[in-house]
Amino acid sequence: MKRTWCVFCLLSCLAIAGSAKAADEGKLEIAGGYSVLHVEAASSNFQGGALDVAIAATPWLAVVGEIGTDGTKANMLADISLHVHAFLAGPRYLVHARENVAVFGQVLFGDAMSNAILDGVESSRSDLAIQPGGGIDIDVGPKWAVRFEGDYRAVRANAATTKQERFLVGLVFHP
């Protein structure tokens, strides 16, 4: 849990410190959207969302901080609520394919926290996560774009790696 808060504080500091500088230069990007996360260990699809803030360092490189949450309800012998929360940061590489289309690839590192709730009793754990992925942003206005993104998340826990694939569709705002 301490690691989760450390990552959250780091992302907050990056977003606040960078947003003041980047906002003046027009290099700030705020994005959010709906996600579907397939968790191999649970053999289930989770639904949720993600929010990210990106600060451009160069025209082709940005620093990204992302917070995401996905969940599902499993009906075994009793109702179980399962959630995965991710706090990630890392570099994003951009290629402007056309004037209104940007293709990106990124590798995010951080913390994935999973929890299960059964009859009001909660069990949670926090583990190292690495999430490479990429996507495409298509401009739909002077400050808005639609994002389609696919990611592969590897969560390392107890000397084993859990695989999670994620698809996200959302909106991007360039203030």
Side-chain angles (χ1 to χ4, degrees), residues 124-158:
S124 64
R125 63 177 299 123
S126 185
D127 299 299
L128 174 67
I130 300 170
Q131 180 178 291
I136 185 168
D137 291 343
I138 303 168
D139 291 344
V140 293
K143 294 187 176 210
W144 292 93
V146 175
R147 172 169 291 167
F148 299 96
E149 180 179 339
D151 302 297
Y152 173 85
R153 184 183 301 155
V155 179
R156 188 75 176 157
N158 297 331

Side-chain angles (χ1 to χ4, degrees), residues 45 61 72 82 131:
N45 290 327
L61 178 66
T72 190
L82 304 169
Q131 180 178 291

Side-chain angles (χ1 to χ4, degrees), residues 19-80:
S19 64
K21 180 177 184 254
D24 293 338
E25 301 170 8
K27 297 181 180 179
L28 178 67
E29 173 184 290
I30 302 167
Y34 168 78
S35 65
V36 175
L37 178 74
H38 178 75
V39 179
E40 182 183 84
S43 298
S44 184
N45 290 327
F46 291 36
Q47 297 181 40
L51 174 69
D52 78 42
V53 175
I55 301 163
T58 69
W60 54 270
L61 178 66
V63 176
V64 181
E66 178 181 293
I67 298 172
T69 185
D70 295 279
T72 190
K73 289 200 177 221
N75 191 356
M76 297 176 194
L77 297 176
D79 286 335
I80 300 174

